[in-house]
Amino acid sequence: MTPPYVLTVDAGLKDLRAADHLLRELAAELALAEGVFGCTHLVRDGRPRVVLSLATPAPLPRERLSARGYEVTDGAPDAVGRAVLYPGVARLTGTLTVAELLARSAIDRVTVLGGPGQPDPHTPLVTRDHVRPQWQRGELVLTAMPAAGGRLTPFEVPDPTPCCADH
C-alpha cells in the first residue's frame, strides 16, 4: 500500500543509475523513514528522462526540493514505477529464498521471466544486493530470471554493460 503523500521530482536525469543515486541521496538528506517508497519513472514526452517519485506517510519538504532546482509536482507520474526505496530493501542482501524475500520486504510477488506462475517459495534467489521491483496493478512485483544451480536472480543487473561498449 502506497503512503498518502506522493511527489514527483524532475531533476532532468537521463539514466537509471543517476536516478537511483539521487533517490538514496534525497532519502538521507531529508531523513526519510523506513516506510518510504522511492521510485524511478521513464518519461517519454518531447524530453525523454527519468523522474523520481517519493511516497511517504508524512508531507515532504517540497520547498527544500524546489530550492535545489528540481521541478516538483503532486502525485506520481504513472502507476508503474521501478522501486529503489521501499520497506525492507536494506534486508535484501546475499542469497534468500523467495519466501524470505517476500517476508522481509514490501514486495508482494515474484515472477520468473518466461516461466509459468509463481516460483517455489523455497527457491534460492541471489540478490546481488540490487533488488528493483516494479509496481504492476497496485502490487510491487520482482521479475527474476533463472540462474545456475536452480537459483533465481533479479532480472535487472546492478552494473549493466552499456550498449556498444566494445566499439
Side-chain angles (χ1 to χ4, degrees):
M1 185 169 141
T2 305
Y5 298 97
V6 183
L7 289 179
T8 293
V9 178
D10 187 346
L13 301 172
K14 300 293 183 195
D15 65 78
L16 290 173
R17 191 177 300 179
D20 285 8
H21 178 76
L22 182 57
L23 273 170
R24 288 189 300 272
E25 182 181 301
L26 291 174
E29 179 183 314
L30 301 173
L32 299 179
E34 166 76 15
V36 167
F37 286 87
C39 297
T40 60
H41 304 262
L42 302 178
V43 176
R44 294 176 178 95
D45 58 11
R47 188 174 54 100
R49 63 203 180 282
V50 181
V51 299
L52 315 175
S53 67
L54 290 167
T56 64
L60 286 160
R62 183 186 192 116
E63 60 285 344
R64 284 180 61 188
L65 296 167
S66 296
R68 289 184 70 166
Y70 305 143
E71 182 181 326
V72 180
T73 54
D74 290 325
D78 57 46
V80 294
R82 172 184 159 272
V84 175
L85 305 174
Y86 51 93
V89 67
R91 294 186 297 274
L92 303 181
T93 61
T95 300
L96 309 167
T97 65
V98 169
E100 289 171 325
L101 177 123
L102 296 173
R104 291 180 184 188
S105 71
I107 297 173
D108 296 303
R109 189 163 53 88
V110 175
T111 62
V112 180
L113 198 62
Q118 306 279 322
D120 182 292
H122 302 293
T123 304
L125 188 137
V126 181
T127 68
R128 297 178 299 206
D129 302 342
H130 187 84
V131 181
R132 301 292 188 265
Q134 291 194 322
W135 288 105
Q136 296 177 10
R137 292 181 217 84
E139 289 185 306
L140 200 52
V141 179
L142 177 66
T143 301
M145 59 186 179
R151 299 180 299 174
L152 297 172
T153 190
F155 177 71
E156 183 178 327
V157 297
D159 296 311
T161 302
C163 176
C164 308
D166 61 345
H167 17 273

